[in-house]
């Protein structure tokens, strides 16, 4: 029997016990996600399946399309049952993993409502890419479902993004539980599209924690909820620092996303200057925190 994580109702508890910060910019992004993206995660497959010469060709087509739609990083991997939530089936044996970088300045202000709005903007950007890629796959005759990154009390994907992203070679696991990429450090958000299109998987990275994290504890010390432990334990065969989600939740709710662990990570200082500006492909809030126009 496969050992699978369970959804523990964390979003319901946040709503009931803590409430959410009033953050107009984030709230507007959430409205756009609800209206423009969540209704279109799945849909009918159109016509006969497009044939590809090989799984490698299929991967190059799907990953290239994801990058063309605006993903900052994209890679293919197999869907692993042990990285899906019990009771939340994920359709499709293959996945295109997606990452969107976040604005460096906004995230270095974390914990703040500015950082929370930027995280939600990245969720919106990823949702746009995921919905577009899933639609293109279905139009090519292959079943596909967009796995949206915005978790709410009423909607959440059954897929754990970080271990799948590590398996797709996009980065290494951090002490904070976040993905640490070579290009942008921890300053990314993740999503996926799962599909029945067979693809050659990208080369995986080691599932073990990033070497920097074996010595560095800056994210642990920056966490006001003390949610990041120092000791590592084995979780589904991987030795990691298992995040204490209930301890993280109050600050996550207070700041509508927190991000203190991202700002504290020393890999943020390696974030290339050329990559610090985010492409203006999604609505952006004004400096004063006003909601973006639809």
């Amino acid at each position: 029997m496969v050992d699978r994580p369970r959804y523990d109702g964390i979003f319901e508890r946040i709503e009931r016990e803590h409430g959410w910060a009033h953050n107009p910019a984030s709230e507007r992004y959430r409205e756009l996600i609800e209206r423009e993206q969540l209704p279109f995660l799945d849909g009918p497959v159109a016509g006969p399946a497009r044939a590809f010469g090989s799984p490698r060709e299929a991967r190059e087509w799907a990953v290239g399309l994801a990058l063309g739609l605006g993903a900052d990083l994209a890679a293919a991997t197999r869907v692993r049952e042990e990285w899906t939530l019990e009771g939340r089936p994920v359709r499709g044996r293959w996945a295109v993993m997606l990452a969107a970088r976040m604005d460096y300045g906004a995230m270095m202000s974390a914990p703040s409502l500015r950082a929370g709005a930027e995280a939600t903007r990245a969720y919106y950007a990823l949702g746009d890419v995921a919905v577009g890629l899933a639609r293109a796959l279905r139009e090519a005759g292959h079943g596909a479902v967009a796995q949206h990154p915005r978790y709410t009390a009423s909607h959440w994907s059954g897929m754990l993004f970080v271990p799948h992203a590590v398996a797709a070679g996009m980065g290494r696991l951090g002490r904070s539980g976040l993905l640490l990429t070579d290009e942008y450090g921890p300053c990314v958000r993740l999503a996926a599209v799962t599909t029945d299109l067979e693809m050659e998987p990208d080369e995986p990275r080691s599932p073990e924690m990033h070497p920097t994290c074996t010595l560095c504890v800056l994210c642990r010390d920056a966490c006001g909820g003390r949610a990041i432990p120092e000791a590592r334990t084995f979780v589904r065969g991987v030795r990691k620092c298992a995040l204490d989600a209930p301890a993280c939740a109050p600050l996550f709710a207070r700041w509508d996303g927190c991000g203190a662990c991202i700002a504290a990570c020393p890999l943020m200082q390696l974030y290339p200057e050329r990559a610090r500006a985010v492409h203006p492909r999604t609505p952006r809030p004004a400096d004063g925190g006003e909601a973006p126009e639809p």
Side-chain angles (χ1 to χ4, degrees):
M1 183 175 180
V2 176
D3 178 23
R4 299 171 67 188
R6 294 175 179 267
Y7 177 67
D8 62 1
I10 187 67
F11 293 103
E12 288 87 345
R13 292 208 303 276
I14 290 176
E15 192 74 34
R16 182 175 62 251
E17 299 171 10
H18 308 293
W20 289 99
H22 177 58
N23 192 350
S26 290
E27 289 164 9
R28 186 63 178 125
Y29 286 129
R30 288 197 291 271
E31 290 174 6
L32 295 172
I33 289 169
E34 290 279 350
R35 186 176 71 238
E36 299 178 358
Q37 296 175 354
L38 295 186
F40 306 105
L41 303 182
D42 199 357
V45 175
R50 173 176 171 175
F52 292 91
S54 65
R56 174 176 293 185
E57 182 183 327
R59 183 201 67 198
E60 291 174 350
W61 176 80
V63 169
L65 183 55
L67 294 171
L69 287 168
D72 290 304
L73 300 172
T77 190
R78 292 182 177 86
V79 175
R80 296 272 295 273
E81 188 178 2
E82 62 267 34
W83 298 334
T84 63
L85 295 176
E86 187 172 330
R88 300 289 298 177
V90 174
R91 293 207 333 266
R93 295 178 53 242
W94 305 88
V96 178
M97 301 306 302
L98 310 168
R101 68 182 185 265
M102 294 182 286
D103 180 78
Y104 175 86
M107 296 313 299
M108 287 301 290
S109 74
S112 68
L113 292 181
R114 180 188 176 198
E118 174 58 15
T120 312
R121 183 210 62 80
Y123 291 143
Y124 176 83
L126 281 167
D128 219 33
V129 175
V131 167
L133 177 59
R135 181 184 296 117
L137 280 159
R138 292 193 297 267
E139 290 174 351
H142 297 277
V145 180
Q147 305 293 334
H148 203 285
R150 179 68 195 190
Y151 283 62
T152 69
S154 59
H155 168 81
W156 64 92
S157 170
M159 189 173 186
L160 300 186
F161 295 133
V162 172
H164 279 103
V166 172
M170 294 172 71
R172 295 285 297 273
L173 176 67
R175 175 180 289 274
S176 61
L178 300 174
L179 182 74
L180 304 182
T181 68
D182 294 340
E183 296 84 355
Y184 313 116
C187 204
V188 297
R189 296 290 172 174
L190 302 173
V193 171
T194 54
T195 179
D196 62 15
L197 174 63
E198 182 181 358
M199 296 176 287
E200 179 182 78
D202 281 283
E203 188 70 25
R205 302 289 288 270
S206 168
E208 299 299 323
M209 204 164 70
H210 194 288
T212 299
C213 302
T214 60
L215 300 174
C216 177
V217 293
L218 291 177
C219 65
R220 182 204 68 184
D221 293 345
C223 179
R226 296 294 182 260
I228 303 171
E230 181 171 3
R232 285 183 282 173
T233 56
F234 281 97
V235 180
R236 282 176 287 281
V238 176
R239 192 165 177 245
K240 59 185 287 188
C241 295
L243 183 73
D244 183 347
C248 172
L251 288 178
F252 191 94
R254 176 183 177 184
W255 297 111
D256 193 28
C258 191
C261 54
I262 294 176
C265 180
L267 297 183
M268 285 290 281
Q269 305 310 315
L270 303 178
Y271 197 178
E273 288 288 345
R274 61 178 174 79
R276 289 187 176 182
V278 177
H279 292 312
R281 62 175 177 268
T282 57
R284 302 297 304 275
D287 290 340
E290 298 175 1
E293 293 297 322

